Amino acid sequence: MISRRIGAAAAVTALLFASACGGGYDAAGSANATTKVSVTTFGCEIWNTWAISKGVYVKHRLDVELVRSGGGSAAVAAVLSGAADFGYVNGYTAINAYNTGFPIQMVSGANVNALPPAKPAQGVFVGKDSPITSPADLAGKKIAVNEINGINQIVTASWLKANGVEPESVSFVALPFAEQIPAVLSGRVDAAQLGYSLLGNNNDGVRSLADPFASSNKVYIATYVAAKSFVAKGDAAKRFHEAMTETAQQLNDPANKDESFRLLSECQKVPAETLAAQPQNAIEAAVDLAALDRMAQQMVDLKMMQKKPDLEPFVTDFARS
Amino acid sequence: MSDHGAKRSSLAASAQAMGRGVQSLWLLAALLVVWEIAARLAGSLFVPPVSQIFVAFVDTWLSGSPSSLFLSDQFRVDVLPSLARLGLGYGAAAAIGISAGILIGVWRPAGAFFNPLIRLGMSVPVTALLPIAIVLFGITSGMNVFLIALGCLWPILINTYDGVRGLDRTVVTAARSMRLTRRRYFLQVLLPGASPAIFVGMRISIGIALVLMVISELYAATAGLGFYIVSQQRLFRFPELWAAIVLLALLGILFNAIFAVVERVLLRWHRNVRPEGAEGH
C-alpha cells in the first residue's frame, strides 16, 4: 500500500516537473524547444501582425508575447531588467545606449527609411499657406517631434545642418504624433517632422518641405536589441532574427501587400486602402554596419556623442547583412 | 556669571547645536554611503554611485565662472526659466487664492455660490488639463505658469477661507464693539487672524508648484528642468539626470527653508500666543 502511494506521488511529481520545465518550452532557447520570448512594441508593427498571424514566429520555435513600452530608453531598460527579451528601439537610441555602456547587442533590423526612387514616407510638414518654403526659413522656429533627442529630431537636425542651418537655431518641441499636425495648423508650432502615414485626414492642410530621412542615407528606424547575456545564453536571438528575415521577405513580396495591409488594418483600425495608399518605410531585417556607423557619426556631428563607438561587438554576427 | 562660565555655557550650547545637526543628518549620510556602496557593487548604469552624481552635479550646474556665481550656462538655460515659471505661477496663485479666499470667507453668499465650483476645481487633477493648456496658451511659458497657478490655487484658497471662517468669535465681537473701520478690521483682525491658515496653504502649495513645474516641462517644452530630465533620459545620461533630481530636491529644501524663516518672522505673534507645547504640532 505504502509503496503504491509512493509510486503515485512520484508519478504526479514527474508529471508536474514535465509540465513546468518541459512542455516544449525553455528559457534561453536550446535545441528543438519552443522559447517563450517577450518583445516590446509601440503598437501595431506590420511585421509583428504578419509574423504572428502567419505563424512565422512559431515556425522558428518562438512563442512571442508583445509588451508595450513607452519608448526606446524604456525598451532598453526592459531588456536589461529582464522584463522583456527583445527591445524595439530605433538605431540611434540603440547606438547611444551601447555607447553609454549598457550591455546590449543588436539582434535584428526591422524598418529602414524609404530612399529614392521610392516615394518619401517622411516629411517636414508646414501649413499649406505657411511662408516657410525652405530649410533656411526654419531658423528660429519651433519644430514638433515625437520625443526630444529621438530619431525624428536627430534626422531633422542633420537635414538642417546639411542645408546650412544650425540645429541650435531651431527649438524642438516634443508632442505626440497625433497632436503635431493640429499644432502646425493652429500655429502653435511652425513645422512638424513625422511620417505621411501619421497625417490622418490632414493631407490637404499641410505640405512637406522635404523628406529629412532621404538626406541621411539609410537610417534604421526600428531595430531589436537584447541583453548580451540573453544572446549568449542560447539561440533564441538567432531564431528571432531568422523569423524577422523570413517576415521581411514575405512582406517585401508584392503578392503579399494587400493581405499585409488587411492584417495591419485590423490592428490599427484604419481602412486597408488608406494604409496601402500611404508611402511606407522599407522592411529590412539584416543590419548594415556601414549604415549604423554613419548614424553614429551623425550623432557625433550633432554633439550628442563625444566619439563614434566601435560597433563591431554591438551587432551580432547572425544579424549582419 | 564670570567670563569663564559664560565661555563654558557658550561652548556647551555650540556642542549641543552640533549634536542636533549630527543627529538630524546621520541617517542621510548613512543612506548616501549605502547608496554609494550598493551602486558600485551592482554596477548599474541607471542608478550611478553618489560620487558620480556629485561630479555630474558640479559639472552640469556649478561649472560657471566666479562672476556668474559659479552657475553654469546649463543652469541659466534650464533652471532660470523653470524658476521664473514657478515664481509667476505661485505668485498668481497666492494673489488670487488669498483674495478669493478672503472674499468668500467674509461674504457668505459668495461662499455658498462658489463652493460647488471650488469643489469641482479641486477634484480635477491639474495634470489632466495639460493638453487643454497647450491649446489655450500654445507652447509657451504661459502654459506652464497657468498649470502651476491652477494647481497651487486650491490649497491656498481653501486654507484662506478656513482661516477667515475660523476667526475667534470673541476677537471678532470685540473688534465690532470697538467700531473699527473696515480697513483697520481687515489689517489688524482679519488678516492676522487668518494668516496662520493662509501660510499652511501657501506652504503646501510650494511642493505642488515644484511638481507641476517639472511635469508641465516634460511635455511640449523647449527649456526647463523637466525638459532637461527627459532629454538626459533619452540620451542615457543617467548621472546628469540624477544631478537634475538632486537639484530639484535642493530647491525644495531651499524654498521650504525660506518659507519657514518668513513664517517665523511674520507669525511671531502667533507662536507667542500659542499654548505651551504647541510648538511643532
Side-chain angles (χ1 to χ4, degrees):
Chain A
M1 182 69 178
I2 291 170
S3 64
R4 210 182 297 164
R5 276 185 187 166
I6 292 171
V12 169
T13 309
L15 198 66
L16 285 172
F17 187 80
S19 61
C21 303
Y25 284 106
D26 76 345
S30 58
N32 300 322
T34 296
T35 316
K36 192 170 175 62
V37 290
S38 48
V39 181
T40 67
T41 174
F42 288 170
C44 299
E45 290 91 21
I46 194 167
W47 52 89
N48 280 330
T49 55
W50 181 269
I52 289 167
S53 70
K54 293 292 169 187
V56 182
Y57 286 139
V58 174
K59 184 182 161 192
H60 291 272
R61 294 182 286 112
L62 293 169
D63 178 8
V64 168
E65 181 199 10
L66 296 176
V67 186
R68 274 266 189 184
S69 94
S73 34
V76 171
V79 297
L80 289 174
S81 65
D85 299 312
F86 299 107
Y88 174 52
V89 293
N90 71 66
Y92 294 109
T93 301
I95 294 168
N96 218 336
Y98 169 71
N99 184 52
T100 306
F102 288 100
I104 54 168
Q105 280 191 294
M106 190 172 279
V107 296
S108 187
N111 222 192
V112 295
N113 53 328
L115 286 166
K119 272 174 80 177
Q122 301 278 333
V124 176
F125 296 95
V126 294
K128 204 174 177 184
D129 303 321
S130 165
I132 299 169
T133 56
S134 69
D137 296 336
L138 287 168
K141 298 285 196 290
K142 279 183 190 158
I143 304 179
V145 289
N146 69 326
E147 58 179 31
I148 291 303
N149 290 326
I151 184 169
N152 303 67
Q153 180 176 335
I154 295 170
V155 168
T156 308
S158 297
W159 168 72
L160 288 168
K161 206 174 170 72
N163 285 282
V165 181
E166 273 310 308
E168 289 82 12
S169 69
V170 168
S171 296
F172 287 99
V173 182
L175 279 180
F177 282 127
E179 291 177 29
Q180 290 183 10
I181 294 300
V184 169
L185 295 175
S186 64
R188 281 177 280 128
V189 294
D190 302 287
Q193 198 292 297
L194 67 164
Y196 276 90
S197 59
L198 297 163
L199 288 181
N201 297 321
N202 296 301
N203 265 309
D204 297 335
V206 292
R207 61 183 160 79
S208 172
L209 297 179
D211 176 1
F213 282 74
S215 71
S216 291
N217 215 319
K218 187 193 279 182
V219 171
Y220 279 90
I221 295 170
T223 68
Y224 284 96
V225 295
K228 255 174 108 170
S229 55
F230 180 84
V231 176
K233 207 158 61 173
D235 69 341
K238 186 166 182 282
R239 280 185 280 131
F240 180 75
H241 174 69
E242 287 164 356
M244 284 296 294
T245 305
E246 189 173 334
T247 303
Q249 279 165 359
Q250 292 175 6
L251 285 173
N252 288 329
D253 182 348
N256 291 328
K257 279 277 177 259
D258 289 346
E259 193 178 1
S260 67
F261 285 127
R262 186 181 56 72
L263 290 169
L264 187 63
S265 142
E266 286 168 16
C267 181
Q268 286 194 348
K269 313 287 180 224
V270 174
E273 305 76 50
T274 309
L275 293 171
Q278 288 163 342
Q280 301 291 325
N281 292 313
I283 313 286
E284 193 171 304
V287 179
D288 178 352
L289 209 53
L292 276 190
D293 206 54
R294 280 194 300 274
M295 291 168 73
Q297 185 59 51
Q298 277 180 304
M299 286 195 280
V300 174
D301 294 342
L302 293 172
K303 301 185 185 87
M304 295 175 80
M305 262 177 0
Q306 284 187 329
K307 70 181 183 75
K308 210 166 54 169
D310 175 14
L311 296 172
E312 278 286 335
F314 175 49
V315 183
T316 52
D317 288 339
F318 57 77
R320 295 182 194 196
S321 54
Chain B
M1 196 189 282
S2 67
D3 277 1
H4 186 64
K7 263 184 196 169
R8 269 177 60 182
S9 79
S10 149
L11 272 174
S14 304
Q16 222 174 7
M18 206 189 285
R20 275 201 301 271
V22 170
Q23 233 175 12
S24 61
L25 286 177
W26 74 266
L27 184 62
L28 178 67
L31 185 73
L32 293 178
V33 170
V34 171
W35 182 335
E36 177 76 21
I37 295 167
R40 284 189 181 280
L41 290 176
S44 167
L45 292 163
F46 294 111
V47 187
V50 176
S51 54
Q52 218 176 316
I53 296 171
F54 179 75
V55 171
F57 185 91
V58 174
D59 286 350
T60 310
W61 308 120
L62 301 174
S63 57
S65 61
S67 62
S68 61
L69 297 171
F70 299 102
L71 299 177
S72 64
D73 286 344
Q74 196 72 55
F75 191 95
R76 275 200 296 279
V77 168
D78 283 315
V79 183
L80 295 186
S82 288
L83 293 180
R85 288 165 189 155
L86 184 129
L88 284 172
Y90 184 78
I96 299 168
I98 294 171
S99 313
I102 290 173
L103 185 74
I104 61 171
V106 170
W107 191 23
R108 284 187 180 220
F113 184 75
F114 285 112
N115 192 37
L117 191 69
I118 293 165
R119 301 286 158 205
L120 183 76
M122 279 178 74
S123 349
V124 176
V126 177
T127 45
L129 297 174
L130 198 55
I132 308 279
I134 291 174
V135 173
L136 291 176
F137 294 92
I139 297 157
T140 60
S141 288
M143 179 267 283
N144 310 74
V145 171
F146 168 74
L147 283 173
I148 295 167
L150 196 63
C152 296
L153 175 67
W154 308 116
I156 298 175
L157 193 151
I158 294 294
N159 276 284
T160 306
Y161 172 78
D162 283 347
V164 173
R165 301 295 308 154
L167 280 179
D168 189 337
R169 303 315 304 166
T170 321
V171 174
V172 174
T173 312
R176 278 191 190 143
S177 67
M178 291 165 79
R179 297 181 188 280
L180 293 182
T181 62
R182 282 190 174 187
R183 185 182 147 83
R184 282 190 72 186
Y185 174 74
F186 178 77
L187 290 175
Q188 292 180 357
V189 178
L190 191 143
L191 206 54
S195 55
I198 295 174
F199 268 88
V200 169
M202 290 179 73
R203 197 160 190 174
I204 293 169
S205 290
I206 286 182
I208 296 174
L210 267 174
V211 170
L212 288 171
M213 178 191 86
V214 175
I215 290 179
S216 66
E217 289 171 350
L218 294 176
Y219 179 81
T222 54
L225 258 172
F227 175 84
Y228 179 81
I229 287 173
V230 173
S231 168
Q232 298 311 300
Q233 187 234 348
R234 302 279 187 234
L235 292 171
F236 297 98
R237 291 177 186 159
F238 286 91
E240 286 78 7
L241 190 155
W242 280 103
I245 293 169
V246 170
L247 181 65
L248 274 170
L250 293 177
L251 285 175
I253 292 169
L254 179 71
F255 292 150
N256 269 304
I258 293 171
F259 208 90
V261 170
V262 172
E263 193 178 357
R264 201 170 301 149
V265 170
L266 292 182
L267 297 184
R268 188 181 292 137
W269 63 271
H270 178 63
R271 289 158 65 86
N272 291 341
V273 297
R274 269 195 296 185
E276 210 49 46
E279 185 92 18
H281 288 283

